[in-house]
Amino acid sequence: MAPFLPNFQSFSLSLPFSFKMKRSFNSVTRPNSAQLLFLLITSFLIWPCIEAAAAAAEELLKGFEATPNPSIPFFQPLLNDSSTKFSFGFLRVNPTQLALAVLHVPSREPLWFANPGTLSRWSDRTKVFFNGSLVVSDPRTRMFWSTETQGDKLVLLNNSNLQIQKSLDNSNNVNVPTVLWQSFDFPTNTLVETQNFTSTMTLLSSNGLYSMRLGNDFIGLYAKFDSGSDQIYWKHKALQAKAQIIEGNGPIHVQVDPDGWLGMYQNGTTPVDIESFNSFQRSLDGLLMVRLEPDGNLKAYYWSGSSWVLDYVAIRETCDLPSPCGSYGLCTAGSGCSCLDNSTEFSSGECSSSGPYSNDMCSDLKTQKNDIKVLRRGGVEVPFKEWMRYETTSSLKECENACGNNCSCYGAVYNNASGFCYILDYPIQTLLGTGDDSKVGYFKIKEEANKKKINSGLGVGVGLLGGAVLCLIGAVGFGSYKIWKKKKRVNRMLEEETGGAMSGPYKDLASASFRSIEMCSSGHR
């Protein structure tokens, strides 16, 4: 399982090399010089991490302030939970940038990010401080994030929940902490066991393309293919076997249960739905979590003590994912990915014909930024069609016209058997391949105007160059003709003077005379 890193590449907190000794240390065998050098270098590299981990507190009070330590290569802990399974601190995401994160320490897996959309610099000018609010500030990039609270302390609980608490005295003069803010209310792409996910929250994939939200009685996965509304591509509705959803009794929420299932609740402790995992009702010692992956799939994992084990997959077939073959791709069960346009080749996870383009087709047409060409393809079908918008038309032509006359339509797929015309009102993604030729796709492809201008300019340039070459050939030919004609006239004059045909030295003299005449003639032009 790849770690979640928003808008940057994966990393590993493990040492970038491994070493295996040929013989174990004992009273007889001593390490050689190479082994001693390795141990010295390893100690030097990991000592800053060990020192920083030891210095991490179990609560942060007002006045706390910290800056990134340049000698720490991976993660700088600022706050630990009491079990030391979780840690909050600076996570280096590349050589120059950092994010505030909560990590699962045994696996070094990030579970939560403070501000995944914006990164700070790993610099002594970047500061994290607690003044009642948890604040991270980078004055150079003008990055600023704050919880905007007035708390007394920051703590990390044994379930990885980061909280800002305020102590209040009750009637017995006992301090009772009140939670003003907690990271569980602002999940990124991961839910851990006992964490509530409500209808006001959104789970977002690390690339920002996919999200999970709750409806009145369902869990939905959505794709953000353009700047408009999201397209739902997976839906799990509550079965309501043990309890009913009562309208007006409040929204639903879900929770990852430690016994290996995702529970959906409205009120009380009886679930209205249970989505079981492979570890259902099995006793697990490790952490259980649910994650929305970059491909749009929802998966569950549990920590075995040495690795993360896959425990649940919402979408089992690759072609059922929202866009497994990329823009203008075609996914066929058993065959994999290809391209809608047969003239293009599928490579590096995408079809080369798609290219970069604006998502606003209507604006492009108004500004003539792009030209539109049409691609037709039989034997295709829309994915997740049960949630796709469609119209009923009497013919393929009527379906095509419904899309062709609408600048916000990127394509349409017509089912000749049902008469359904599925409207694609977002940039074309992956379609499904089927052997049924009665299902025909109509797709708009943008041709960038600047490319067309370049091609037109190249054509004009080639044309002008060709014309110039023809003119040059004509001029050379005309000049050669004039020379030949003058030469013939001089030879005739000499023949008349000598009274016959010339041979030997007279012929050379005639040629010399001709060249002399040509030179003089050229000088008087």
Side-chain angles (χ1 to χ4, degrees):
M1 179 189 63
F4 163 60
L5 294 173
N7 303 325
F8 40 84
Q9 296 180 344
S10 301
F11 75 104
S12 173
L13 294 183
S14 303
L15 289 174
F17 46 82
S18 61
F19 180 82
K20 188 178 290 185
M21 295 184 184
K22 296 181 180 179
R23 294 178 296 178
S24 60
F25 293 151
N26 52 46
S27 58
V28 177
T29 305
R30 295 183 180 181
N32 57 34
S33 58
Q35 292 170 344
L36 288 173
L37 180 61
F38 166 78
L39 292 174
L40 180 63
I41 294 174
T42 303
S43 301
F44 174 77
L45 287 173
I46 67 173
W47 176 252
C49 299
I50 297 173
E51 185 179 24
E58 291 189 6
E59 66 176 24
L60 302 180
L61 303 178
K62 284 184 178 180
F64 171 82
E65 185 176 296
T67 58
N69 186 342
S71 65
I72 294 180
F74 304 115
F75 179 73
Q76 179 179 339
L78 303 176
L79 180 65
N80 293 332
D81 77 309
S82 59
S83 69
T84 67
K85 291 182 180 179
F86 305 102
S87 187
F88 168 73
F90 295 120
L91 175 67
R92 190 189 288 269
V93 298
N94 58 47
T96 61
Q97 291 181 305
L98 64 85
L100 278 180
V102 173
L103 257 66
H104 178 244
V105 175
S107 66
R108 303 174 175 90
E109 185 72 26
L111 303 175
W112 178 83
F113 288 89
N115 189 19
T118 306
L119 300 177
S120 302
R121 292 175 307 125
W122 194 285
S123 162
D124 57 3
R125 297 193 63 186
T126 298
K127 291 184 179 181
V128 168
F129 54 90
F130 182 71
N131 59 2
S133 297
L134 177 62
V135 180
V136 55
S137 174
D138 182 355
R140 183 172 178 180
T141 61
R142 298 183 180 179
M143 185 274 180
F144 182 86
W145 178 86
S146 172
T147 58
E148 299 180 357
T149 52
Q150 293 296 325
D152 294 326
K153 61 181 179 180
L154 179 72
V155 296
L156 184 61
L157 304 185
N158 292 348
N159 58 0
S160 79
N161 190 12
L162 187 68
Q163 288 187 347
I164 294 178
Q165 299 178 352
K166 189 173 184 65
S167 298
L168 298 176
D169 292 338
N170 62 9
S171 57
N172 297 323
N173 293 324
V174 177
N175 286 335
V176 178
T178 299
V179 178
L180 302 183
W181 177 94
Q182 58 182 355
S183 61
F184 272 17
D185 291 340
F186 305 92
T188 49
N189 76 330
T190 303
L191 298 175
V192 298
E193 56 190 55
T194 73
Q195 181 176 359
N196 282 329
F197 183 77
T198 70
S199 58
T200 62
M201 300 176 186
T202 299
L203 210 63
L204 191 66
S205 63
S206 60
N207 53 16
L209 295 179
Y210 308 106
S211 61
M212 185 182 92
R213 300 195 296 270
L214 300 181
N216 294 330
D217 60 353
F218 67 89
I219 302 171
L221 299 182
Y222 299 82
K224 193 175 187 62
F225 292 138
D226 64 1
S227 57
S229 60
D230 294 347
Q231 172 64 51
I232 187 170
Y233 62 89
W234 182 84
K235 190 175 186 179
H236 177 74
K237 194 170 182 178
L239 295 178
Q240 304 183 51
K242 294 185 177 181
Q244 300 292 312
I245 296 177
I246 302 174
E247 187 176 354
N249 275 19
I252 63 170
H253 67 276
V254 300
Q255 187 181 92
V256 181
D257 194 279
D259 287 335
W261 44 279
L262 186 65
M264 191 184 304
Y265 303 84
Q266 186 182 33
N267 293 309
T269 59
T270 304
V272 297
D273 184 81
I274 290 176
E275 184 77 340
S276 60
F277 302 159
N278 295 335
S279 61
F280 181 63
Q281 292 184 340
R282 287 167 49 194
S283 179
L284 297 175
D285 294 331
L287 180 69
L288 184 64
M289 72 173 183
V290 171
R291 171 163 292 179
L292 185 58
E293 300 289 5
D295 63 358
N297 211 343
L298 186 69
K299 297 181 179 181
Y301 304 88
Y302 69 86
W303 178 246
S304 67
S306 58
S307 63
W308 289 101
V309 179
L310 184 63
D311 202 23
Y312 167 80
V313 179
I315 302 174
R316 297 189 178 275
E317 299 297 329
T318 300
C319 288
D320 291 336
L321 292 171
S323 190
C325 303
S327 299
Y328 292 93
L330 187 68
C331 189
T332 305
S335 301
C337 291
S338 58
C339 295
L340 285 174
D341 189 352
N342 286 327
S343 64
T344 59
E345 183 180 352
F346 183 82
S347 61
S348 302
E350 61 181 12
C351 293
S352 57
S353 65
S354 59
Y357 55 82
S358 166
N359 284 342
D360 192 349
M361 187 175 288
C362 295
S363 297
D364 287 347
L365 290 174
K366 289 178 182 178
T367 58
Q368 296 183 346
K369 183 178 179 180
N370 295 288
D371 288 339
I372 306 298
K373 68 176 184 179
V374 172
L375 170 67
R376 291 177 175 84
R377 175 72 183 259
V380 299
E381 192 171 31
V382 293
F384 35 88
K385 62 181 180 182
E386 56 267 47
W387 300 294
M388 290 287 294
R389 184 171 74 87
Y390 68 90
E391 301 174 2
T392 302
T393 58
S394 59
S395 65
L396 171 61
K397 185 176 181 180
E398 185 180 346
C399 178
E400 290 185 356
N401 289 338
C403 180
N405 297 329
N406 182 1
C407 67
S408 63
C409 176
Y410 291 80
V413 175
Y414 181 70
N415 188 331
N416 193 46
S418 63
F420 289 170
C421 177
Y422 294 93
I423 303 298
L424 302 174
D425 52 5
Y426 54 80
I428 304 299
Q429 301 298 312
T430 300
L431 276 293
L432 302 181
T434 174
D436 189 353
D437 289 333
S438 67
K439 299 174 180 179
V440 182
Y442 166 90
F443 310 106
K444 297 176 182 177
I445 298 180
K446 295 184 180 183
E447 217 172 33
E448 293 185 68
N450 57 352
K451 288 184 179 179
K452 199 169 183 183
K453 288 178 181 177
I454 290 172
N455 293 335
S456 298
L458 181 61
V460 171
V462 170
L464 290 175
L465 179 61
V469 170
L470 288 175
C471 290
L472 180 60
I473 293 173
V476 171
F478 181 70
S480 299
Y481 170 74
K482 287 182 67 178
I483 293 171
W484 173 80
K485 191 173 181 180
K486 289 181 179 181
K487 182 177 180 180
K488 187 177 180 181
R489 186 169 62 249
V490 170
N491 288 340
R492 188 168 55 250
M493 290 169 59
L494 292 173
E495 286 177 3
E496 290 175 354
E497 292 177 0
T498 58
M502 294 184 295
S503 62
Y506 292 101
K507 189 174 182 179
D508 295 335
L509 178 62
S511 298
S513 299
F514 169 74
R515 287 194 294 271
S516 176
I517 292 170
E518 272 298 300
M519 291 175 64
C520 293
S521 176
S522 299
H524 289 83
R525 285 178 185 171

